Amino acid sequence: MTDEIGIGELAESFSEFLGTEWPREKAVAYARGSAVYAEDLWSQVAALGWTALTVPEAQAGLGMGLSATAALHDALGAAAAPLPMLGNTLAIALIEAAGTADQKEALLSGLADGSVRASFAHPDATILDADGSVLDGQVADMLDVASATHLFLRGTHAGKSVWIVLPTATSGVSIERTLLADASRTLGTVILSSVAISPEHLMTPEDAAALDDDLLRVAAVSLAADALGGGNATLAATVDYMKGREQFDRVIGSFQALKHRVADHKAALEAARGLVDHAASLDADAPSALLAALTAKQHVTRVVAEIARDCIQLHGGVGFTSEYVPHIYLKRAKLNEALFGTRSVVLDRIADILEAA
Amino acid sequence: MSRTYDILGKVGDEQAFRQEIREWLAECTPKNWRVKWQGVREEDLKSEIIAWLGERRKVGLGTPHWPKEWGGPGLPFTYQIMVYEELSRADAPELDMFTISLFHTPATLFEHGTQEQKDRYLHGITHGTDIWCQGFSEPGAGSDLASLRTSARREGDHYVLNGQKIWSSGAMNAQYCLLLARTDNSGKRKHDGISYFILDMKTPGVEVRPIRQITGESEFAEIFMDDVKVPVENLIGAEGNGWNIAQSTLSTERGLLIFGSVERLARSFELDGKDARDTWMRDVQFRREYAALYGELQSVRLMIRQLLIELEANPDKASPTLPTFIKLIWGPFLQRYTEFLLRAEGLETQKWQPAIPGTSNSSRLRFNDFLKSYGWTIAGGSNEIMRNIISERILGLPRG
Ligand SMILES: Cc1cc2nc3c(=O)[nH]c(=O)nc-3n(C[C@H](O)[C@H](O)[C@H](O)COP(=O)(O)OP(=O)(O)OC[C@H]3O[C@@H](n4cnc5c(N)ncnc54)[C@H](O)[C@@H]3O)c2cc1C
């Protein structure tokens, strides 16, 4: 299923399902509540195998690559689906690269069937000292931690960078949710006090820096894809609205000042799609894989955040209400822009890579 | 002593094909052409360009993107792309003055010309040095091209043309012009009654006056026609069908023509960053701006590649919308990038220098490249017209 037609069909099935199960009204209603994730929707998509896409076939997964991941995150972004998928995507990549056979056995099938939900430390999260037999400390801004069953934390052990994997139910672990503007995802602080750890909690990558880059690559492509889906969805909703709303005895979609703005947005999204598809199509070891991923991340999340910003304006007063959908996409777009490295950080990294070439 | 190169004989082996072009370019690209071409114009420049065209013909790459039926080498698309990539990479000069001859004329004649027209005029491009220009725009008909007023009146075995064209690129050097004129004023829509002619620029009554551009160059001109006789066999397609035929001419502006310019820019973009290693690349703001512009550049390159892949797979099924998106992204990006260089490189960029022909949008004379970028945002359907097309024909919004 890794050929292009396969990905196209996959993408279609994702958006078809979410279009029915998570229409705009649901996204709007969800944002007014305070749930930590859409639990029923999660069970449904897990049952459909969406959580198993990149899990190796040996562990009951589908063994697909980054193009499938991108298609999935594109669809989730388009629906603004409150599903903690990114943590799982990254956890699977990490375990495959650095997990022991036992860890693979213990975690991958749960990730595949959705019973494990991972919250994954971002690149500059606090690094915990894992040399002793207990863990103490705080890790702020863990994505989707409120709905997670497992934490993937950064640490050092015996002078090496390690990943620490802990079930959230471990004694001594507590979690404080941080409310976000974007209600479709959560952040939170993990507080660890005298949490007992042993070697089976640790993963020691051979080349930690290279693995960090690869995880960053997967996160960057996933976020860019999420942004792209959201951008297309909010533009489509806005063009629909412009075809129906009348002022001065004509639909507002006939005003050229507005038409030209949405035309620019449409063209920008078409250009953005190429960056996402290309970055997702490269093998992990392709020389420009990280550059392409970071480029997609910085460009697409920025472009979409601007489009989402304008879509509120194009709606007028209803755009300012929580009943209409554009604010959902704006908030999600702004979070995508900020996650896994603000734009400046990403641009600096891109410039470094360009200079080294 | 020059060895003989068999580039076309390497089709089937991509690596060997590329290698052969590289070796040929390393030996045969005119030496120091940038310096030389910067100092010559008109007939002298024309001789330089024709000499380079001659070199390209020796290896079968005079018209690399032409199919066999047009008298070209009939290269598969991937090989055409390689040719343009390598020409850009080696910074070989563009065949300025021949753009219309190489792209617009064949695209028009091949689809709509008679066998006689094809034989005669395409041969004049593949074997001769016929320079063509395009006479569409008029003082009163730019974006609203269909309102054109140049008239063509049938009189026996010829038409008599009267009127004025403007902004016709290369008209000073051209032998022939692809010309739109009105043969019928009674049509319901202004698009009706337009016919498409081949105008021999040496016909009595044709007068060409160069127009000085913002770059200081005079690459386009006005064409005045005063009772100009054009034989009926110079009509392309049926009388009154000119508007449809003109769409074929214009469609050519959005494929390989853009590809060559973009690849050339990708090369100069990289050099710009390298050359600025100790200057603006040490300034955190400019460095980030450069990294951001890299993303825009890549997005254009990827869209064009997508288009080429689709054209290769099936020209009739290629996305009809992609070229419009490409045009609307490429022009503004080019303008932003060339403007960025003015800011990053400061006062040095303000010092005037004559343009370098043959460099497309990558002369690396900063002010020239910046000014030239407007060609892509105004000509061939302005950005605003692209936005009308996208909002109305693609997004389905009503006409204003
Ligand atoms: C470098 C260069 C080379 C050229 N070469 C040739 C050539 O070889 N042959 C040839 O025939 N022509 C050529 N042109 C002419 C070119 O095609 C026209 O300039 C172009 O079509 C615009 O027409 P115009 O100049 O009359 O501008 P106008 O149509 O008067 O436009 C003025 C402004 O109004 C805007 N505008 C117009 N209509 C609308 C609308 N409906 N909605 C919103 N905005 C609108 C335009 O976008 C523009 O910003 C060339 C132009 C340039 C700059």
Side-chain angles (χ1 to χ4, degrees), chain A residues 2 11 22-23 41-42 100 102 105 107 114 116 123 125 129 146 160 169 182 240 278 282 292 306 314-315 334 344 354:
Chain A
T2 46
W22 204 257
L41 187 64
W42 178 261
T100 62
D102 285 348
E105 184 65 36
L107 292 165
V116 170
D129 175 357
K160 285 187 160 176
D182 175 17
D240 277 352
H278 176 65
L282 294 174
E306 282 301 285
L314 289 165
H315 272 77
K334 294 311 283 182
S344 309
L354 290 175

Side-chain angles (χ1 to χ4, degrees), chain A residues 178-250:
Chain A
T178 318
L179 285 174
L180 293 180
D182 175 17
S184 68
R185 285 167 296 179
T186 68
L187 285 185
T189 302
V190 173
I191 300 152
L192 306 153
S193 50
S194 304
V195 176
I197 52 163
S198 54
E200 66 260 30
H201 292 119
L202 303 185
M203 289 182 197
T204 313
E206 262 171 52
D207 182 344
L211 179 60
D212 273 353
D213 280 352
D214 196 52
L215 294 168
L216 179 59
R217 182 182 70 93
V218 174
V221 171
S222 305
L223 288 167
D226 188 290
L228 180 63
N232 281 316
T234 193
L235 183 63
T238 303
V239 170
D240 277 352
Y241 184 74
M242 289 167 66
K243 287 176 182 170
R245 169 72 179 167
E246 285 186 23
Q247 284 294 284
F248 302 99
D249 300 322
R250 43 204 276 224

Side-chain angles (χ1 to χ4, degrees), chain A residues 256 259-260 264 348 352, chain B residues 287-288 387-388 392 395 398:
Chain A
Q256 197 182 50
K259 282 158 73 176
H260 281 197
D264 274 333
D348 287 345
D352 288 344
Chain B
R287 197 168 184 275
R288 283 179 186 159
R387 293 185 182 107
N388 288 345
E392 287 164 15
L395 295 175

Side-chain angles (χ1 to χ4, degrees), chain B residues 343-399:
Chain B
R343 279 183 288 117
E345 300 187 352
L347 203 51
E348 210 43 49
T349 64
Q350 307 289 317
K351 300 177 185 170
W352 187 83
Q353 289 205 57
I356 309 176
T359 50
S360 189
N361 296 93
S362 301
S363 73
R364 307 187 72 217
L365 303 175
R366 303 310 186 198
F367 224 110
N368 274 295
D369 286 341
F370 168 56
L371 293 174
K372 209 174 168 182
S373 70
Y374 283 93
W376 287 107
T377 56
I378 298 173
S382 71
N383 280 359
E384 289 69 30
I385 297 304
M386 295 300 114
R387 293 185 182 107
N388 288 345
I389 291 175
I390 293 171
S391 55
E392 287 164 15
R393 296 194 212 152
I394 299 174
L395 295 175
L397 292 168
R399 296 181 66 111

Side-chain angles (χ1 to χ4, degrees), chain B residues 186-393:
Chain B
S186 64
K188 262 206 216 102
R189 305 178 323 146
K190 57 191 176 189
H191 303 75
D192 301 331
I194 294 174
S195 299
Y196 203 130
F197 296 95
I198 297 170
L199 169 68
D200 184 333
M201 297 292 281
K202 291 198 193 62
T203 319
V206 176
E207 193 195 332
V208 180
R209 287 188 213 149
I211 305 171
R212 198 174 157 103
Q213 302 165 188
I214 53 175
T215 55
E217 301 294 308
S218 300
E219 289 160 319
F220 54 34
E222 291 174 287
I223 305 173
F224 296 89
M225 287 154 289
D226 184 11
D227 282 339
V228 174
K229 284 185 171 183
V230 174
V232 282
E233 63 262 27
N234 281 18
L235 180 70
I236 303 177
E239 194 182 283
N241 200 25
W243 185 255
N244 286 334
I245 302 170
Q247 305 315 310
S248 298
T249 314
L250 293 171
S251 70
T252 184
E253 304 205 339
R254 324 240 157 109
L256 279 174
L257 193 59
I258 290 186
F259 179 73
S261 298
V262 175
E263 285 310 300
R264 221 165 257 278
L265 192 84
R267 174 188 168 275
S268 59
F269 183 94
E270 199 181 317
L271 290 177
D272 294 338
K274 289 215 157 74
D275 290 353
R277 209 169 263 277
D278 301 317
T279 55
W280 53 260
M281 278 297 271
R282 301 272 67 78
D283 175 296
V284 72
Q285 187 198 323
F286 287 136
R287 197 168 184 275
R288 283 179 186 159
E289 227 177 305
Y290 178 76
L293 286 158
Y294 171 78
E296 296 189 36
L297 169 62
Q298 286 303 101
S299 76
V300 181
R301 294 178 83 188
L302 290 164
M303 277 201 282
I304 293 180
R305 261 154 223 270
Q306 179 62 33
L307 179 65
L308 296 179
I309 289 166
E310 290 181 15
L311 286 171
E312 158 104 282
N314 184 347
D316 299 327
K317 285 210 179 131
S319 160
T321 53
L322 199 48
T324 311
F325 293 129
I326 292 172
K327 178 120 195 312
L328 187 53
I329 296 289
W330 160 238
F333 156 69
L334 182 67
Q335 208 151 84
R336 272 195 297 278
Y337 180 59
T338 51
E339 189 276 339
F340 159 76
L341 290 170
L342 297 188
R343 279 183 288 117
E345 300 187 352
L347 203 51
E348 210 43 49
T349 64
Q350 307 289 317
K351 300 177 185 170
W352 187 83
Q353 289 205 57
I356 309 176
T359 50
S360 189
N361 296 93
S362 301
S363 73
R364 307 187 72 217
L365 303 175
R366 303 310 186 198
F367 224 110
N368 274 295
D369 286 341
F370 168 56
L371 293 174
K372 209 174 168 182
S373 70
Y374 283 93
W376 287 107
T377 56
I378 298 173
S382 71
N383 280 359
E384 289 69 30
I385 297 304
M386 295 300 114
R387 293 185 182 107
N388 288 345
I389 291 175
I390 293 171
S391 55
E392 287 164 15
R393 296 194 212 152

